[in-house]
Amino acid sequence: MDFNDTPQEAEFRAAARGWLDSNAERLGPDESPTGMAEGQDREDVIKSSQAWQARKADAGWACITWPKEYGGRGASSIQNVIWNQEEGRSQTPPNVFGIGQGMLGPTIMAHGSEAQKSRYLNPMLRGEEIWCQLFSETAAGSDLAGLQTRAVREGDEWVLNGQKIWTTGAQYCRWGMIVTRSDPAAQKHAGITYFIVDMESSGIEIRPIKQINGGKSFNEVFFNDVRVPHANVVGKVNDGWRGAITTLMNERASIGGGGGSNGFRELMRLARETDWNGRPALQDPYVRQRLADFYIRSKGLQYTGYRTLTALSKGATPGPEASIGKLVGAPLSQELAGFACDLQGQAGSLMEDDSSWQSSYLGAPGIRIAGGTDEILRNIVAERVLGLPPEVRLDKGIAFQDIPSARN
Amino acid sequence: MNFDFSEEQKLLQKTARDYLSENAPLGLCRKILEGDEPYSRELWQAAGEMGWLGAAIPEKYGGAGFGHLELALLAEEVGRALAPIPFSSSVYLATEALLVAGTDEQRERYLPGLASGELIGTFAIAERRGRPTAASVQTTFKDRELVGVKLPVPDGDVAGIAIVNARDDSGISLVVAELDARGVERESLASIDPSRSLARLSFQGARAELLGAPGKGQELADSILDRAAVLMAFEQVGAATRAFELTKDFMMERYAFGRPIASFQALKHRLADLYVKIELARSNSYYGAWALSSESAELPVAACGARASASDAFELASQEMIQLHGGVGYTWEYDCHLFYRRAKLLGLALGNASEWRDKLIERLDHPSAV
Ligand SMILES: Cc1cc2nc3c(=O)[nH]c(=O)nc-3n(C[C@H](O)[C@H](O)[C@H](O)COP(=O)(O)OP(=O)(O)OC[C@H]3O[C@@H](n4cnc5c(N)ncnc54)[C@H](O)[C@@H]3O)c2cc1C
């Protein structure tokens, strides 16, 4: 048991560090990258993110786990972690390409045609084209397979009608990947087709939705007779659920794989500096208990990540265990931010420009919902990790159009 | 990065698990709990013969010379089996104390016996209700004689030696006392978990000998407790995992409302949460084992994390075990109470989870620590 790099890992880290040091400013041990959080929809943020991505791509440091033929370097999961650690120690712009590079690209690699791979993957890797995920609908979120956006074939084209919602980034994305209902007479999971869709197609209307924190990173997207070439079908017609599963698995792996800083260090500082009953809050027994609990949970998560990495480096494939990351991490960041507000006393309700705890408190509920809610993740852990019986279902063995819903 | 145990270490663990499932079913724990024997002498002797008791003791002192990673995995198995033996007192505490602070002569005198199991050791810190601190120690050590009362002392009724903290001219010091000597009186105390015994030790001018430098008792005790905390965390995680597995198996077979109770979402989510809690405790414990085995400066912080999370996980597992079994879970006949009792006993030995959380913040409270 050790945390040391193997000689090969050390060599890789040195190469990564070397390139980063000559291309970006290195952060001090106490600094985190600035310019994160909201603002992913701001043009200047996107521009700087794209510039950094192109620079990495030219040097072979973009999407390093992707195969060389698409511009990656065929790096291992461990190398990817090392790269992310080192990049995280540099002052770099936020990455606005996560949905494409982390989830949709891997889906195209697994299920797409050769023509799709050679057309889309490299510009995605370079950040030249940004992608969004058109999965959720008003009546199909956790129950994604309940989706109703219709796709009807007309010769060499498909015609799409319906509405998607909560689509992050739709307002600035060039491409989207959409799951649609192509056969309502088939059973729920059997009549779904997965497409690549040009977000500049006529008939697409995008309306930003304002979130509780005032940001507008997600949107409603309406499809009115939008025509999509048959060549854009990902995988087989009516077999789109298979591809959707690939996307969702990659989503959990990329969201759950995180870890890293969740603000504990800053919370300690706040507790040291805040006056509480005439002494630093850090001296208060209740505060100490809460802080210790946050620390222990976040470290437990970090070390669980190390165990997963160790398994990966021994050749295991990422499994449903990755769900633990978000299931623990998301509520933890909400509790932590909420507690930080509490520590500030009545002033904790002030919302000023530098109120970062208040901002993260307002942002945190979204993380507990996006990419699989807490409850869905518990179902996944219960059923797929622990092997407990599946939910009783009322939507199996009948045609999709006959399934009971609020509409019938 | 290699955050896992080696194949050889896992093989040792498997051998221990196989041995214990054959020779230490839960019935053995129950036998000690219900009978007059204070611990299973047979299992204790076997543990000595198989090298478990001396896993971290170097060969030159009669140990197996494996190391602390191996010992941690053995502790996990001892926990899984709810083994009714004074393993934690003798191995994590007394043995570690001698390894940390003993002179060569003291090690030669005691370690071979501790390794074989002929000698049982313990650590006597508490004197009364409440959280012990340096200021609360009343036992004194003067002219090589110990005066005072320690209680409860785990396995104090069967131990041959105790490491004791006492007040002397230089402050607090650790001493080692032989318990069969004159001037020592022992009395068994009723335990919440009668499969593990507790005693009151009263020293009335008993001969004792310094362990480590005089006046360094508090620091030494803290560092021994840190080491024991990591090993105890493995024992707790092992026991929590067994409680979890038995509960899950029961829930798959128990039907209500026409379906296995394991299919009710309210219960599935509780099992999922429990599983996650145990896994986080396991990961924190792994980190503790790494810090312990590599003599890392991180140990004081890592030990707190391992100990607090493992105590919480085992306590919750043992509570959920009874609740999810329903009425049978509350019967003497079912094994749930063995876990429930053991969780409380282990959770309080070495200090409860809140004390360790408090210690954690104390240790993190300088800018470079986090
Ligand atoms: C910030 C943000 C960004 C997003 N980005 C995207 C995006 O880019 N693309 C995209 O397609 N979608 C996106 N989403 C949508 C997201 O995937 C869904 O909101 C999520 O899957 C939940 O679906 P829902 O909103 O329909 O809620 P519902 O599924 O209706 O859930 C309502 C409540 O019921 C619970 N629930 C539902 N089913 C079960 C069950 N079987 N057992 C127990 N409890 C259950 C849920 O946990 C929740 O508490 C985003 C959401 C957010 C908040």
Side-chain angles (χ1 to χ4, degrees):
Chain A
M1 197 181 266
D2 63 64
F3 294 97
N4 304 331
D5 287 341
T6 62
Q8 294 90 323
E9 287 163 3
E11 195 179 312
F12 179 82
R13 189 184 296 278
R17 192 66 263 166
W19 186 81
L20 283 163
D21 277 344
S22 45
N23 287 276
E25 200 181 312
R26 198 195 285 214
L27 293 168
D30 274 339
E31 293 174 304
S32 13
T34 51
M36 281 297 294
E38 284 304 314
Q40 299 215 345
D41 53 344
R42 281 193 355 236
E43 207 168 321
D44 53 331
V45 174
I46 294 172
K47 283 250 153 57
S48 70
S49 186
Q50 283 179 312
W52 175 240
Q53 193 65 25
R55 195 140 148 198
K56 288 198 290 184
D58 287 339
W61 289 110
C63 300
I64 62 170
T65 55
W66 289 20
K68 290 207 172 84
E69 49 182 317
Y70 308 127
R73 55 167 65 209
S76 66
S77 324
I78 289 293
Q79 288 177 327
N80 196 35
V81 169
I82 294 174
W83 168 260
N84 288 337
Q85 287 171 342
E86 295 304 328
E87 191 179 18
R89 288 175 194 139
S90 308
Q91 176 58 46
T92 57
N95 182 315
V96 301
F97 316 107
I99 291 175
Q101 295 175 349
M103 296 150 58
L104 304 177
T107 306
I108 293 177
M109 279 181 233
H111 304 282
S113 66
E114 284 313 312
Q116 288 168 351
K117 294 179 199 173
S118 60
R119 162 61 187 86
Y120 298 114
L121 291 175
N122 191 258
M124 181 190 282
L125 170 140
R126 299 187 59 83
E128 286 162 3
E129 294 175 343
I130 311 181
W131 289 64
C132 61
Q133 175 196 18
L134 299 147
F135 274 35
S136 304
E137 298 181 5
T138 49
S142 302
D143 183 14
L144 174 62
L147 58 94
Q148 296 171 42
T149 295
R150 281 287 274 135
V152 176
R153 185 154 184 182
E154 280 183 17
D156 241 8
E157 286 184 332
W158 290 78
V159 182
L160 270 47
N161 277 290
Q163 184 201 342
K164 293 290 175 179
I165 194 168
W166 319 127
T167 317
T168 302
Q171 70 274 46
Y172 54 78
C173 284
R174 178 69 183 79
W175 297 96
M177 279 176 73
I178 182 167
V179 277
T180 61
R181 176 76 41 200
S182 44
D183 183 0
Q187 286 188 30
K188 189 169 174 177
H189 297 83
I192 292 175
T193 300
Y194 202 164
F195 295 95
I196 293 170
V197 56
D198 184 342
M199 293 303 284
E200 291 170 4
S201 311
S202 69
I204 294 185
E205 189 196 337
I206 299 167
R207 292 189 203 146
I209 306 174
K210 190 167 177 182
Q211 299 152 195
I212 70 168
N213 61 357
K216 286 184 185 161
S217 63
F218 57 31
N219 304 268
E220 288 180 289
V221 184
F222 296 88
F223 291 80
N224 295 308
D225 289 330
V226 174
R227 305 189 87 80
V228 178
H230 181 71
N232 284 18
V233 173
V234 179
K236 296 202 193 79
V237 171
N238 290 335
D239 192 30
W241 187 246
R242 188 188 304 275
I245 292 286
T246 303
T247 309
L248 296 177
M249 300 269 274
N250 278 288
E251 177 164 33
R252 294 200 180 111
S254 57
I255 296 182
S261 157
N262 54 18
F264 182 82
R265 189 199 297 256
E266 291 76 11
L267 184 59
M268 275 292 276
R269 195 179 309 144
L270 177 70
R272 220 179 266 127
E273 289 165 3
T274 306
D275 183 77
W276 199 248
N277 287 332
R279 57 181 181 172
L282 193 56
Q283 301 306 322
D284 181 88
Y286 173 71
V287 172
R288 293 165 80 83
Q289 292 291 317
R290 289 297 302 272
L291 287 184
D293 176 60
F294 295 146
Y295 181 84
I296 290 167
R297 269 193 283 163
S298 71
K299 287 294 168 179
L301 199 53
Q302 183 182 338
Y303 305 143
T304 302
Y306 291 173
R307 285 168 58 203
T308 310
L309 280 180
T310 302
L312 289 182
S313 77
K314 290 180 182 165
T317 42
E321 295 81 6
S323 302
I324 293 183
K326 192 169 110 72
L327 179 54
V328 176
L332 178 60
S333 55
Q334 184 175 39
E335 279 178 59
L336 204 132
F339 189 68
C341 295
D342 294 356
L343 271 187
Q344 297 169 30
Q346 298 191 19
S349 55
L350 290 174
M351 195 77 213
E352 291 167 322
D353 284 350
D354 59 350
S355 298
S356 58
W357 293 113
Q358 285 70 12
S359 303
S360 26
Y361 186 67
L362 292 180
I367 314 173
R368 293 182 60 186
I369 295 168
T373 64
D374 289 3
E375 292 74 23
I376 292 301
L377 296 179
R378 283 192 178 89
N379 281 350
I380 291 174
V381 170
E383 293 172 20
R384 308 249 310 282
V385 182
L386 303 178
L388 302 183
E391 295 296 288
V392 173
R393 299 183 68 144
L394 307 175
D395 60 352
K396 289 257 169 162
I398 48 174
F400 176 71
Q401 60 208 9
D402 300 329
I403 295 173
S405 78
R407 89 198 113 89
N408 61 14
Chain B
M1 146 132 29
N2 179 12
F3 196 51
D4 196 2
F5 293 88
S6 70
E7 291 312 313
E8 299 83 75
Q9 287 159 349
K10 288 183 191 165
L11 191 66
L12 175 75
Q13 178 177 28
K14 183 173 181 306
T15 316
R17 182 171 303 189
D18 292 347
Y19 181 86
L20 287 166
S21 56
E22 182 91 351
N23 298 284
L26 292 174
L28 182 69
C29 176
R30 179 178 288 274
K31 185 175 147 221
I32 300 300
L33 180 117
E34 292 176 346
D36 293 332
E37 244 191 313
Y39 67 101
S40 167
R41 294 203 162 79
E42 259 177 281
L43 182 59
W44 184 247
Q45 193 184 346
E49 281 160 12
M50 290 182 291
W52 299 357
L53 307 180
I57 299 178
E59 280 165 295
K60 66 170 174 171
Y61 300 120
F66 295 139
H68 285 95
L69 293 177
E70 288 79 0
L71 179 55
L73 293 179
L74 292 171
E76 185 178 345
E77 295 312 312
V78 165
R80 264 190 85 83
L82 296 186
I85 50 177
F87 197 75
S88 47
S89 307
S90 201
V91 180
Y92 320 155
L93 290 162
T95 299
E96 289 301 318
L98 285 155
L99 288 172
V100 167
T103 61
D104 237 15
E105 196 272 318
Q106 287 169 327
R107 293 178 187 177
E108 268 161 25
R109 193 175 341 140
Y110 296 124
L111 288 177
L114 289 169
S116 71
E118 271 157 53
L119 178 65
I120 294 173
T122 187
F123 197 54
I125 289 223
E127 299 186 353
R128 70 182 75 82
R129 286 178 211 284
R131 179 180 177 177
T133 61
S136 70
V137 177
Q138 292 192 350
T139 301
T140 57
F141 180 60
K142 279 211 180 75
D143 303 327
R144 296 201 271 158
E145 290 188 348
L146 207 49
V147 175
V149 174
K150 293 282 177 181
L151 108 178
V153 181
D155 305 299
D157 50 346
V158 294
I161 58 169
I163 314 300
V164 180
N165 62 342
R167 188 171 298 285
D168 64 9
D169 294 341
S170 47
I172 303 286
S173 299
L174 284 193
V175 301
V176 50
E178 297 190 358
L179 300 179
D180 292 324
R182 255 189 324 134
V184 185
E185 246 176 52
R186 28 175 149 194
E187 183 195 339
S188 293
L189 301 174
S191 165
I192 193 167
D193 175 10
S195 70
R196 295 294 313 277
S197 48
L198 298 175
R200 165 196 168 100
L201 295 183
S202 117
F203 301 98
Q204 296 139 358
R207 294 288 282 197
E209 177 180 295
L210 264 180
L211 182 72
K216 290 279 174 226
Q218 191 62 31
E219 291 89 328
L220 284 173
D222 278 343
S223 103
I224 294 159
L225 285 172
D226 287 347
R227 304 168 78 84
V230 171
L231 298 165
M232 187 70 101
F234 274 85
E235 185 167 333
Q236 292 170 303
V237 165
T241 306
R242 181 88 177 275
F244 174 83
E245 291 168 2
L246 291 172
T247 306
K248 187 180 100 171
D249 293 349
F250 175 86
M251 291 167 66
M252 296 291 274
E253 277 164 24
R254 171 81 183 162
Y255 274 66
F257 301 95
R259 32 197 283 218
I261 59 169
S263 70
F264 293 117
Q265 193 182 66
L267 305 192
K268 285 164 72 174
H269 284 192
R270 274 166 73 172
L271 272 190
D273 285 342
L274 179 57
Y275 166 79
V276 167
K277 201 170 176 79
I278 295 173
E279 286 312 301
L280 295 192
R282 189 187 308 282
S283 301
N284 276 313
S285 301
Y286 273 36
Y287 191 69
W290 166 79
L292 174 60
S293 68
S294 59
E295 300 287 341
S296 160
E298 296 268 316
L299 179 61
V301 165
C304 294
R307 168 69 178 163
S309 58
S311 292
D312 287 348
F314 186 21
E315 183 151 312
L316 179 67
S318 75
Q319 292 169 351
E320 292 287 72
M321 186 179 198
I322 296 182
Q323 182 65 21
L324 297 172
H325 273 74
V328 295
Y330 190 59
T331 61
W332 186 267
E333 182 191 344
Y334 268 64
D335 289 331
C336 305
H337 70 117
L338 306 185
F339 289 87
Y340 191 63
R341 293 168 186 281
R342 184 64 66 86
K344 208 28 140 192
L345 184 99
L346 296 187
L348 294 180
L350 317 181
N352 69 29
S354 308
E355 290 176 43
W356 286 91
R357 279 191 289 268
D358 192 63
K359 254 200 255 197
L360 173 66
I361 296 303
E362 189 180 306
R363 291 167 178 189
L364 288 175
D365 187 17
H366 47 92
S368 63
V370 183

